[in-house]
Amino acid sequence: MIECSLGQQAMLICVDSYEGGVPRGRLYLPGQPGQRFDSLSQLLLRGEQLLELSGGAQSFTTPRIFALAKPLRPAPCDAGEPVHGNAATFEMRILFRQHASWQGELLWLEKNARQSFRSVLELITLMDSALRAEEN
């Protein structure tokens, strides 16, 4: 579990690699154990689970599902791992969860650049542009 200065609504996304558009790294929410992710879908699904557990920005819709699925098995991080990504580190603040998506702000810590996003697709586009910029 990591203790950090992030607010309750913020997550830290540590991207360790970004190959072929596939991010791998760790996701941290204050007061919760860090979670590994090996794909974009794992990042988003684990993020959604952490939001539900934390009682942060409440969802305005009930998720539609085909069947009751088991929650993703946590892939905890080692306590000694650095709390920054090898490729990039982002602080994500989820302000709202409306229209079955997320709205908030993304801070790219290495560049001290901040952008708002209105949907998960816009969030993905922002992260992709930052990670591709780091490749060059």
Side-chain angles (χ1 to χ4, degrees):
M1 194 168 354
I2 182 143
E3 297 299 327
C4 59
S5 62
L6 296 176
Q8 284 300 97
Q9 301 296 322
M11 288 186 204
L12 194 65
I13 303 169
C14 301
V15 180
D16 293 324
S17 69
Y18 193 67
E19 297 173 19
V22 178
R24 288 183 173 81
R26 294 158 283 124
L27 177 65
Y28 296 96
L29 184 70
Q32 299 290 329
Q35 298 289 311
R36 290 191 184 284
F37 59 88
D38 292 314
S39 67
L40 182 59
S41 61
Q42 278 186 354
L43 168 62
L44 297 175
L45 291 170
R46 290 184 200 286
E48 185 70 12
Q49 283 183 332
L50 287 173
L51 285 168
E52 286 295 320
L53 288 173
S54 73
Q58 295 297 307
S59 179
F60 281 68
T61 58
T62 302
R64 295 180 185 179
I65 55 175
F66 283 111
L68 292 177
K70 295 179 185 174
L72 285 175
R73 291 179 32 209
C77 301
D78 294 330
E81 287 187 276
V83 188
H84 62 82
N86 295 330
T89 310
F90 302 98
E91 181 180 314
M92 177 176 63
R93 295 186 184 276
I94 305 296
L95 303 175
F96 306 102
R97 290 195 296 163
Q98 298 176 342
H99 311 292
S101 195
W102 299 344
Q103 298 84 38
E105 291 183 326
L106 187 68
L107 175 62
W108 182 9
L109 296 180
E110 287 82 5
K111 302 291 184 186
N112 197 27
R114 181 183 310 267
Q115 285 289 332
S116 295
F117 58 91
R118 297 166 288 194
S119 68
V120 171
L121 180 58
E122 200 168 41
L123 168 68
I124 293 167
T125 304
L126 287 170
M127 290 177 62
D128 179 69
S129 68
L131 291 161
R132 288 187 190 278
E134 286 299 293
E135 287 178 346
N136 298 329

